[in-house]
Amino acid sequence: MFQHLFNPSVQHTLDLIGIFVFAISGSLLAVRKNFDVFGIAVLAEITALGGGLLRDIIIGAVPPAAFTDLGYFTTPLVAALLVFFLHPEVERIQVGVNVFDAAGLGLFCVTGTVKAYDYGLGLTASAALGLATAVGGGVLRDVLANEVPSLLRWDRDLYAVPAMVGATMVVLCIRYDALTPLTSGLAVVTAFVLRLFAMRYHWRAPRAWHRRSTVREEESS
């Protein structure tokens, strides 16, 4: 019902851009962890496609889009090769990569929510899967790299919250019959801008009230 809010060719291009920058982040972590070329490729694929795979399996959209569109599967491999040979140069443009990553976050939280709703899920479940689409790959990346997922760390700038806001805007628009290309685009932009502000001003989620923890605090590098 809502899957064709955007022009299909434009949607496909945006998906590939989002997949590419997510794969770049996975590849860079693999390099920092001293993984070999196979490990770099695996982390690139998992980061880029993990959230969408999780969503598609849950909603029964099988085979998942990652395996029916060759572009979705090969784009992370291109990113992995780029980082394998040029990772010092890619590291130097990390700020630019982060901006595109924020754009991918905004896009995927919206498209993931819409697709879940089109497959019959309720509004709350659709929003949850929209969030999973946007951040699931990053969680899987960190787990495979033996890291505490950035999503769960207090010393990381807000990442899930912007995606939650974007997904919530979508389900509210569906609820009040106001979901259009314009309102969907507004949800994408809102999540994108919130993520940019979070990176710029280091916004973080609050920790437990009157917290008394003996765990050593690790400041972000």
Side-chain angles (χ1 to χ4, degrees), residues 19 22-24 26-27 30 39-49 76-77 79-80:
I19 286 170
F22 281 0
I24 288 286
S27 301
I40 294 171
V42 168
L43 230 57
E45 291 281 359
I46 286 294
T47 309
L49 304 176
L77 297 179

Side-chain angles (χ1 to χ4, degrees), residues 97-173:
V97 172
N98 287 341
V99 170
F100 282 105
D101 182 88
L105 180 81
L107 175 68
F108 288 164
C109 74
V110 170
T111 58
T113 303
V114 169
K115 185 169 184 178
Y117 184 78
D118 275 344
Y119 272 77
L121 269 66
L123 296 177
T124 301
S126 295
L129 277 187
L131 172 63
T133 304
V135 306
V139 172
L140 293 172
R141 172 202 64 205
D142 292 343
V143 169
L144 286 178
N146 198 29
E147 295 258 319
V148 176
S150 297
L151 193 69
L152 304 179
R153 294 187 59 170
W154 76 270
D155 58 343
R156 295 292 187 265
D157 303 331
L158 292 180
Y159 194 78
V161 171
M164 290 172 63
V165 170
T168 300
M169 289 177 65
V170 172
V171 295
L172 287 175
C173 288

Side-chain angles (χ1 to χ4, degrees), residues 21-34:
V21 294
F22 281 0
I24 288 286
S25 72
S27 301
L28 286 174
L29 179 59
V31 170
R32 295 183 193 120
K33 288 286 187 176
N34 204 30

